[in-house]
Amino acid sequence: MDFREAELYDRLEERHVACRLCSHGCKIAAGHTGICRVRENRDGVLYTHTYGRIVSEHLDPVEKKPLYHFQPGYRSYSIAAIGCNFRCDFCQNWQISQAAEAEALGVPTGSATPSEIVQRALKSGARSISYTYTEPTLLYEFAAETGTLALEKDLANIFVTNGFMSREMLLAAKPWLHAANVDLKAFKDETYRRVCRGRLAPVLENIQTMRAEGIWVEATTLIVPGMNDSEAELTDIARFLASVDPVIPWHISRFYPQYRMSDQPMTPMATLNQALEIAKAAGLRYAYIGNAPGPGNHTWCYQCGALLIEREGFSILGYQLKDGLCPKCGAKMAGVGIR
């Protein structure tokens, strides 16, 4: 499938273009790509390299996104294309998220149409399509067509994202985008600039916009020792999320050495448990340790403390809710598609 002209860009003088897809706002000269390396200016026209070029397809539990309060217990048909607009030193999927690395490794891609993806999702029994593994913002043109078709078939659409899309893109996606897990990587702009080659403010603004526009939001923070693990920074993250809405679930993830941070230690369990306590103190109703064993992966009633959903990994072992309500005190669990 050949490259396709991109959306959300302006033509400038001297065959330059201005990309409006994400918060980088790249000005791209003819013959060059943006920071993402998958949107290319060809003689004054911006093309996307990602349309229909699928690098990964899987049927996953929606809990793997991770989303614990959006259609819990159901499956999500998950797709990805190569590319990211960040350069995170700790990236867990760098082999496919970083275009230069993927090219060097010779990572193969398949081709698909939006209709084919929707049909595969329906055949799989999924309740949603997730645009994930890499940065779905860069799959926008394909996701928009796929998402619109999915909506007609009663399939929800999910972004697993760094949250650095432009506000324009986010509002354009609103009619078909139902949920997002936003990777809130730190609460210091300096960390975003140095480690991710991005900025913090647009991510915070997009979390606020998603919640205000009715897109279900959950947040994930990978806690990296020495980078974002101080009590002060974790408190800032928890307080920010609570200020947007205390029902936003916060997924606290354990760092495992990866990519350019392969010499860093794993996150101590004590730090993860401390983050859970910080979340409670900040007023967040739901916080999880998603990739380490223990009760930090369960959902508890925020009002009476009863165990509502028991999990092991991405599997639900026990489900005590009745019509989305706590069986002991009647408190309603926040979320979408809660049975």
Side-chain angles (χ1 to χ4, degrees), residues 173-236:
K174 177 189 170 184
W176 51 265
L177 183 61
H178 300 89
N181 184 291
V182 180
D183 198 352
L184 182 51
K185 299 175 185 291
F187 212 76
K188 293 180 180 178
D189 189 64
E190 186 275 334
T191 303
Y192 263 83
R193 292 178 183 274
R194 175 176 52 85
V195 180
C196 305
R197 287 70 169 178
R199 291 177 287 118
L200 172 62
V203 180
L204 303 183
E205 292 166 6
N206 283 331
I207 289 173
Q208 293 169 321
T209 299
M210 287 179 192
R211 194 71 188 97
E213 295 294 335
I215 298 168
W216 179 254
V217 183
E218 304 193 20
T220 296
T221 302
L222 182 72
I223 300 183
V224 181
M227 187 190 85
N228 61 357
D229 61 341
S230 71
E231 181 177 352
E233 187 159 2
L234 295 174
T235 299
D236 286 342

Side-chain angles (χ1 to χ4, degrees), residues 111-125:
S111 64
T113 66
S115 179
E116 287 171 340
I117 294 298
V118 170
Q119 290 304 314
R120 290 171 196 171
L122 290 169
K123 186 176 180 180
S124 74

Side-chain angles (χ1 to χ4, degrees), residues 160-180:
V160 182
T161 175
N162 60 27
F164 204 65
M165 68 279 289
S166 67
R167 177 180 174 84
E168 181 182 6
M169 191 236 88
L170 184 56
L171 294 179
K174 177 189 170 184
W176 51 265
L177 183 61
H178 300 89

Side-chain angles (χ1 to χ4, degrees), residues 44 128 252 322:
S128 63
I252 299 153
K322 296 181 179 179

Side-chain angles (χ1 to χ4, degrees), residues 204 207-212 217 238-248:
L204 303 183
I207 289 173
Q208 293 169 321
T209 299
M210 287 179 192
R211 194 71 188 97
V217 183
R239 286 178 176 171
F240 166 75
L241 294 174
S243 75
V244 177
D245 194 328
V247 306
I248 292 177

